Amino acid sequence: MVNVGGARMIEVGMTLPEKIFYIDRALLKAYADASGDQNPIHQNEEFALFVGLPNVISHGMLTMALAGKYVTEWAGGSANVREFSARFIKPVIVPAGEKVDLTVDATVTEVDGNTVKLDITATSAGVKVLGMAKAVVVK
């Protein structure tokens, strides 16, 4: 167990509070511009449909970054995150004119001194979008 701020104990099996991030086409455009990833499947609905996708999809790295933000905020800053990894298993589908949810939570799987291992869950529209998402943080 780890004592957080003298008030709350972190134990194996503890579920951390969920956080909902919202993704819309404006965020996809901003991310594409910032990252340089201008793949049309993230911005052009006609192209996304042409290549067999159900609609425009979020960048996988954007989805992972939002899950990483969740971990970083819970850990109290990026300096406390020792490891973070995930696999992309399903796309986050972003229809025009909509904000879609990305819901992230985590479960404590191991506590060793002040090191905490987390299993992270990220879903959109009830579908798990990241697999094998894990983090190691220092609290």
Side-chain angles (χ1 to χ4, degrees):
M1 278 193 277
V2 174
N3 193 334
V4 178
R8 191 164 169 211
M9 301 301 280
I10 298 173
E11 312 178 287
V12 172
M14 176 181 167
T15 301
L16 307 184
E18 76 176 25
K19 180 166 184 171
I20 300 174
F21 297 93
Y22 294 98
I23 301 171
D24 60 12
R25 297 273 180 98
L27 180 59
L28 297 184
K29 173 79 169 104
Y31 182 85
D33 291 346
S35 69
D37 182 351
Q38 297 293 334
N39 188 324
I41 64 173
H42 304 302
Q43 296 182 55
N44 182 314
E45 188 170 328
E46 184 177 315
F47 184 83
L49 294 169
F50 177 75
V51 298
L53 293 169
N55 210 316
V56 164
I57 62 171
S58 175
H59 303 75
M61 291 303 292
L62 172 59
T63 303
M64 190 171 171
L66 293 171
K69 180 177 181 177
Y70 170 88
V71 171
T72 299
E73 288 175 354
W74 183 79
S78 60
N80 297 327
V81 179
R82 299 293 187 252
E83 295 177 28
F84 175 64
S85 62
R87 290 186 182 213
F88 310 120
I89 57 174
K90 294 283 183 179
V92 175
I93 301 164
V94 186
E98 292 186 31
K99 287 186 176 186
V100 298
D101 66 284
L102 176 68
T103 303
V104 182
D105 67 21
T107 302
V108 175
T109 60
E110 188 177 322
V111 178
D112 183 12
N114 66 344
T115 301
V116 180
K117 291 186 179 181
L118 303 172
D119 276 350
I120 303 154
T121 303
T123 61
S124 181
V127 176
K128 189 174 180 179
V129 296
L130 294 178
M132 298 180 64
K134 300 182 180 303
V136 177
V137 303
V138 175
K139 287 297 275 185

